[in-house]
Amino acid sequence: MSIVTNKELLERALEGHYAVASFNTNNLEYSQAIIQAAYELNAPVIIAAAKSEIDYMNGYAFVAMVRAIAGPLPIPVGIHLDHGPSYEEVVRCLRYGFTSVMYDGSSLPLSENIANTKKVVEAARACGVSVEGEIGVIGQASDGPEGPQIDSDMIGLADVDECERFVAETNVDAFAAAIGNAHGLYKRKPELRFDLLEQIRNKTNTPLVLHGGTGIPLEDIRKAITMGVAKINFSTVMRKGAIETLRNTLNDHPGELDYMKLLTPARNKMVEIAKEHIIMCMSDQKAWK
Ligand SMILES: [Zn+2]
């Protein structure tokens, strides 16, 4: 068992009452840390990259790297496009060998989002790749690869009827609905709208994805999982931990010229952070053979 689709990962997560943690990556050390953490906890995991991260790494190099690191390990790993901005970007990722793609048409009028997502589903299904859609714009509490910062008061909320229509018409494998969550660092405690989550869940039977997992308290993460959230995205927390650790290492060893010695503590920190969040999602010891 190694590289699988998100559809398989999330269906098992829903059945097993846990969520699969999805971590964004942008280089070798992040990717090694995410897979190492999942391996040490015997957990399924999703390794994701947004367009800017894929462009930075080279899509073919990224997929080859994940397959090389995760391939020999007895844990299921999904390779996912986060916030695919266009049909063209999705098609490129299908060619790179991703096992799951997200198309984010949430800022478009609903009918356009549905039409584009349907086109993505058709192309992805032909390649055996699963699709995640998005309804209601999930805002940005601070700048990151998912997009530029918007006013945190502009955090959007999904409309229940739109979610129902979106899922029925597109037949996506998973979808992200804005329920008070945001990307980046929250300026104040996030207030997840569990009432909205419950209404969405009652009208749809598709695994839900919670974006902007960084900073959501453990009890809210766990509650969301009991209500049908099967995938939780974490990105900022890993970047913050890695950068802070690297900054400290650089300050402590100003003359060090061994790049590997400088990056190793940051990579170790990311293993620790990824493990903590896998445990939050209750997906530890959930890998299957
Ligand atoms: Zn996101």
Side-chain angles (χ1 to χ4, degrees):
M1 179 54 58
S2 54
I3 307 302
V4 298
T5 64
N6 279 11
K7 180 178 168 62
E8 188 172 8
L9 287 166
L10 303 196
E11 281 175 355
R12 284 175 182 262
L14 262 190
E15 275 173 31
H17 308 289
Y18 62 90
V20 181
S22 177
F23 299 99
N24 283 55
T25 183
N26 57 49
N27 72 1
L28 172 71
E29 285 76 16
Y30 274 70
S31 307
Q32 287 176 314
I34 295 160
I35 296 166
Q36 180 68 29
Y39 174 64
E40 287 181 20
L41 291 174
N42 192 33
V45 78
I46 295 163
I47 187 157
K51 184 180 184 305
S52 62
E53 294 164 325
I54 295 167
D55 290 346
Y56 178 80
M57 291 185 284
N58 175 315
Y60 291 111
F62 165 55
V63 173
M65 171 176 71
V66 174
R67 287 182 182 272
I69 301 168
L73 303 178
I75 51 164
V77 178
I79 306 177
H80 178 71
L81 164 65
D82 191 27
H83 292 281
S86 64
Y87 178 75
E88 289 73 18
E89 183 61 18
V90 165
V91 170
R92 275 191 285 275
C93 289
L94 295 177
R95 190 159 160 77
Y96 297 145
F98 281 56
T99 59
S100 173
V101 289
M102 176 185 188
Y103 169 70
D104 180 358
S106 61
S107 60
L108 301 172
L110 180 64
S111 55
E112 219 176 309
N113 186 10
I114 289 175
N116 293 355
T117 306
K118 279 172 84 167
K119 217 170 127 187
V120 164
V121 169
E122 193 182 331
R125 287 274 152 77
C127 305
V129 167
S130 45
V131 178
E132 176 181 328
E134 178 170 326
I135 281 283
V137 179
I138 298 167
Q140 190 83 28
S142 60
D143 276 354
E146 299 94 344
Q149 182 174 353
I150 59 162
D151 191 320
S152 60
D153 293 331
M154 283 172 61
I155 288 175
L157 289 177
D159 176 273
V160 179
D161 294 332
E162 288 192 1
C163 289
E164 187 181 19
R165 189 178 149 204
F166 179 80
V167 168
E169 292 189 25
T170 61
N171 200 20
V172 284
D173 302 296
F175 76 106
I179 55 162
N181 47 327
H183 300 110
L185 291 176
Y186 291 96
K187 292 189 180 70
R188 50 183 173 267
K189 183 179 176 290
E191 301 284 346
L192 293 190
R193 288 279 307 273
F194 289 108
D195 57 325
L196 182 57
L197 179 56
E198 187 176 16
Q199 290 173 44
I200 294 169
R201 190 66 193 145
N202 287 341
K203 293 220 174 176
T204 59
N205 200 26
T206 303
L208 282 158
V209 180
L210 186 64
H211 283 240
T214 297
I216 296 179
L218 175 67
E219 60 272 21
D220 287 359
I221 294 265
R222 294 277 169 89
K223 189 170 176 185
I225 294 170
T226 65
M227 295 175 74
V229 166
K231 169 175 176 266
I232 304 180
N233 293 7
F234 302 101
S235 175
T236 309
V237 69
M238 293 281 277
R239 279 184 276 123
K240 187 169 180 286
I243 291 167
E244 284 171 358
T245 307
L246 177 58
R247 190 174 288 129
N248 290 339
T249 313
L250 288 166
N251 287 339
D252 292 346
H253 306 278
E256 182 59 66
L257 289 176
D258 185 334
Y259 195 59
M260 295 178 288
K261 282 188 185 159
L262 293 171
L263 288 179
T264 297
R267 184 173 64 185
N268 292 342
K269 181 70 184 174
M270 285 191 283
V271 174
E272 197 185 299
I273 293 170
K275 284 172 80 172
E276 189 188 313
H277 288 80
I278 287 170
I279 291 168
M280 279 175 94
C281 291
M282 299 183 288
S283 55
D284 51 308
Q285 307 308 328
K286 299 294 194 309
W288 65 90
K289 295 278 183 291

